[in-house]
Amino acid sequence: MKLLYKGKTKDVYQLEDGNYILKFKDDMTGTDGKFDPGANTVGLTIDGAGKSSLKLTKMFFEILEEKNIPTHFIDANIEEATMTVKPAAMFGNGLEVICRYKAVGSFLRRYGMYAKEGQDLDAFVEVTLKDDQRGDPPISEDALHMLNIVTREEYAKLKDLTVKISNIVKEELAKKNLELYDIKLEFGKVNGEIVLIDEISGGNMRVYKDGKYIEPLLLEKLLLQ
Amino acid sequence: MKLLYKGKTKDVYQLEDGNYILKFKDDMTGTDGKFDPGANTVGLTIDGAGKSSLKLTKMFFEILEEKNIPTHFIDANIEEATMTVKPAAMFGNGLEVICRYKAVGSFLRRYGMYAKEGQDLDAFVEVTLKDDQRGDPPISEDALHMLNIVTREEYAKLKDLTVKISNIVKEELAKKNLELYDIKLEFGKVNGEIVLIDEISGGNMRVYKDGKYIEPLLLEKLLLQ
């Protein structure tokens, strides 16, 4: 098993059969010990955080599979905190596709002149580049196209998949009276088909209950226990 | 004559007939005494800078008028450094529409992972909000539409006008062996029609000659003298 990449919250290994293993770590994004799904740095480490993220990711990827949404998921080993996935080609060096239901976080920091905190945003989609050095800048469809990162056809597909997946997650959460504010998805290509990659857990979404933010570990308990 | 607005490089007055007067000041955007067309602060003041900007603006607005590109321009008084214009309604609290022929400035700071400094960009258009407090954030067509700042139809028109105007400016500069790297335009609505407003001068574009940046005052001399 060959280490391909060490990420902030996951390491990626390559198996001999060509598939990849994602090792979920106990590190979480944030700053100064405070969790923040939008942060670019590891802010804290909590025992069991990796397994907890993987449990939720497994649950959501299996729900998506039932609904014929393509993902890279093959299977998960919760004890080892590892997930076996199909190897996917990235768009450029990686994109994040965000779907927003409420104006919070970086959206509000950018567009606060025109949006009130917490205002409804009807599944608004935007794309950011994965580029820690440049603070994950937002990028338009035109720029993605011009820089040969995403074709027009792929952009439409990414946007459509993002809204579909986010709405499924939102409905699952609503069953437990949890409200999805925003979610950050990653996509790759497997044999030319665009598929969801990475994870779906408290680590890449903001979830609220009765107006109070739900931390990732509590989210897993509320959804799975 | 009633003062409506004090800007960084221009003040706006309202005439009794309803038209506006723009008073071009000698203040220029930049930081620490160094001119920067992309800056959000007044960085320096040069005697005659206002008149110089107005002379170029008059020249370009007259060229655009001949080519049937709608602008807010009525006439200019160079001695007074004032321009009489039609009153135009803003998009929200104001937008800047940027047309880029070379990867420099904020484009490169955001997308440097995928673009080399000075690489050709084929009239790439992007929009930023005029919002000093939030650093003039870039905004997508989808966000402009969702936040009720620009309709889809208006966006297409803004993009089309921006490329047309920028190409005209680029061609004028090329006649003097000057190269346009990027230009920042503003638009408003007069009786529902989208028109170019504000100015076209060294203050809102980056121009190079033989690979060397041309300062706004020198640009005016090279074009008009």
Side-chain angles (χ1 to χ4, degrees):
Chain A
M1 200 160 85
K2 183 179 141 202
L3 179 68
L4 287 183
Y5 171 76
K6 282 186 92 72
K8 286 189 285 282
T9 62
K10 277 179 236 79
D11 294 333
V12 183
Y13 298 85
Q14 186 167 32
L15 293 171
E16 286 187 6
D17 65 4
N19 289 333
Y20 288 179
I21 291 274
L22 303 187
K23 169 76 180 174
F24 284 61
K25 300 194 279 192
D26 288 339
D27 297 333
M28 301 167 81
T29 55
T31 40
D32 302 328
K34 202 175 158 353
F35 173 73
D36 175 359
N40 252 336
T41 47
V42 169
L44 68 168
T45 301
I46 299 177
D47 275 352
K51 280 185 196 177
S52 172
S53 291
L54 178 56
K55 282 183 203 167
L56 275 189
T57 297
K58 180 174 184 284
M59 179 193 93
F60 280 118
F61 276 36
E62 285 171 351
I63 290 169
L64 292 173
E65 198 174 6
E66 275 170 32
K67 295 180 189 281
N68 293 313
I69 305 274
T71 78
H72 69 161
F73 182 74
I74 297 174
D75 63 34
N77 180 330
I78 303 293
E79 271 318 295
E80 299 288 328
T82 57
M83 181 161 89
T84 309
V85 301
K86 293 172 217 159
M90 306 278 268
F91 291 96
N93 298 317
L95 303 177
E96 288 179 337
V97 190
I98 301 161
C99 187
R100 300 182 180 276
Y101 296 95
K102 292 278 186 185
V104 293
S106 68
F107 183 91
L108 197 70
R109 286 195 293 278
R110 281 180 269 129
Y111 308 134
M113 187 183 262
Y114 298 94
K116 282 187 192 148
E117 182 164 8
Q119 120 182 10
D120 287 339
L121 298 177
D122 200 18
F124 172 71
V125 174
E126 58 183 358
V127 178
T128 61
L129 295 179
K130 279 174 81 90
D131 185 347
D132 288 348
Q133 198 190 323
R134 296 178 182 85
D136 290 350
I139 185 162
S140 69
E141 177 183 351
D142 284 350
L144 286 165
H145 176 244
M146 182 187 61
L147 295 170
N148 296 313
I149 304 171
V150 176
T151 67
R152 300 251 178 233
E153 197 185 347
E154 286 168 344
Y155 189 88
K157 183 80 186 165
L158 284 173
K159 202 167 144 177
D160 179 59
L161 276 173
T162 296
V163 172
K164 275 190 186 140
I165 293 166
S166 303
N167 282 344
I168 289 168
V169 173
K170 191 174 193 288
E171 283 163 26
E172 285 301 315
L173 294 171
K175 291 177 188 168
K176 306 263 180 166
N177 293 313
L178 295 164
E179 190 175 8
L180 181 62
Y181 275 28
D182 55 32
I183 182 166
K184 200 165 66 180
L185 303 175
E186 293 188 34
F187 294 90
K189 280 174 282 188
V190 174
N191 299 323
E193 183 191 32
I194 297 179
V195 307
L196 182 70
I197 63 168
D198 198 49
E199 67 174 283
I200 298 187
S201 75
N204 58 328
M205 55 174 109
R206 285 193 185 87
V207 177
Y208 281 68
K209 185 170 188 174
D210 303 326
K212 279 173 78 172
Y213 173 67
I214 303 295
E215 296 275 352
L217 288 162
L218 178 57
L219 180 67
E220 185 249 331
K221 286 196 180 67
L222 293 174
L223 284 171
L224 289 175
Q225 290 171 9
Chain B
M1 199 160 83
K2 183 180 140 201
L3 179 68
L4 287 182
Y5 171 76
K6 282 186 93 71
K8 286 189 286 281
T9 63
K10 279 179 234 80
D11 294 332
V12 183
Y13 297 87
Q14 185 167 33
L15 293 170
E16 286 187 4
D17 65 6
N19 288 332
Y20 288 178
I21 292 275
L22 304 187
K23 170 75 181 175
F24 284 61
K25 300 195 280 193
D26 288 339
D27 297 333
M28 300 167 84
T29 55
T31 40
D32 301 328
K34 201 173 159 354
F35 172 72
D36 176 0
N40 251 336
T41 47
V42 169
L44 68 168
T45 302
I46 299 177
D47 275 351
K51 280 185 195 177
S52 172
S53 292
L54 178 55
K55 281 183 202 167
L56 276 189
T57 297
K58 179 173 185 284
M59 180 194 91
F60 280 117
F61 276 37
E62 285 171 350
I63 290 169
L64 293 173
E65 198 174 5
E66 274 170 32
K67 295 181 189 279
N68 293 313
I69 304 275
T71 78
H72 69 160
F73 182 75
I74 297 174
D75 63 33
N77 181 329
I78 304 292
E79 272 317 295
E80 299 287 330
T82 57
M83 182 162 88
T84 309
V85 301
K86 294 173 216 161
M90 307 278 267
F91 291 95
N93 298 317
L95 303 177
E96 289 179 338
V97 190
I98 300 161
C99 188
R100 301 182 181 276
Y101 297 95
K102 292 278 186 184
V104 293
S106 67
F107 183 90
L108 198 70
R109 285 194 294 276
R110 282 181 269 128
Y111 308 134
M113 186 182 264
Y114 298 94
K116 283 188 192 150
E117 182 163 8
Q119 122 182 8
D120 288 339
L121 296 179
D122 197 20
F124 172 70
V125 174
E126 60 183 357
V127 178
T128 61
L129 294 178
K130 278 174 81 91
D131 186 347
D132 288 348
Q133 197 190 322
R134 296 179 181 84
D136 290 351
I139 185 163
S140 69
E141 177 183 352
D142 284 351
L144 287 165
H145 176 244
M146 183 188 61
L147 295 170
N148 296 312
I149 303 171
V150 175
T151 67
R152 300 255 179 226
E153 195 185 348
E154 286 168 344
Y155 189 88
K157 183 79 185 166
L158 284 173
K159 202 166 145 178
D160 178 60
L161 276 173
T162 296
V163 172
K164 276 189 185 140
I165 294 165
S166 303
N167 283 344
I168 290 168
V169 173
K170 191 173 192 290
E171 283 165 26
E172 285 301 315
L173 295 172
K175 291 176 187 170
K176 306 264 178 167
N177 294 311
L178 295 164
E179 191 176 9
L180 182 61
Y181 274 30
D182 55 32
I183 181 167
K184 200 165 66 179
L185 303 174
E186 293 189 34
F187 294 90
K189 281 175 282 187
V190 174
N191 300 322
E193 185 191 30
I194 297 179
V195 306
L196 182 70
I197 64 169
D198 199 48
E199 67 175 284
I200 299 187
S201 76
N204 57 327
M205 56 174 110
R206 284 193 185 88
V207 177
Y208 281 68
K209 185 171 187 171
D210 303 326
K212 279 173 77 173
Y213 173 66
I214 303 295
E215 296 275 351
L217 289 162
L218 177 57
L219 180 67
E220 184 248 347
K221 284 194 183 67
L222 293 174
L223 285 170
L224 289 174
Q225 287 169 14

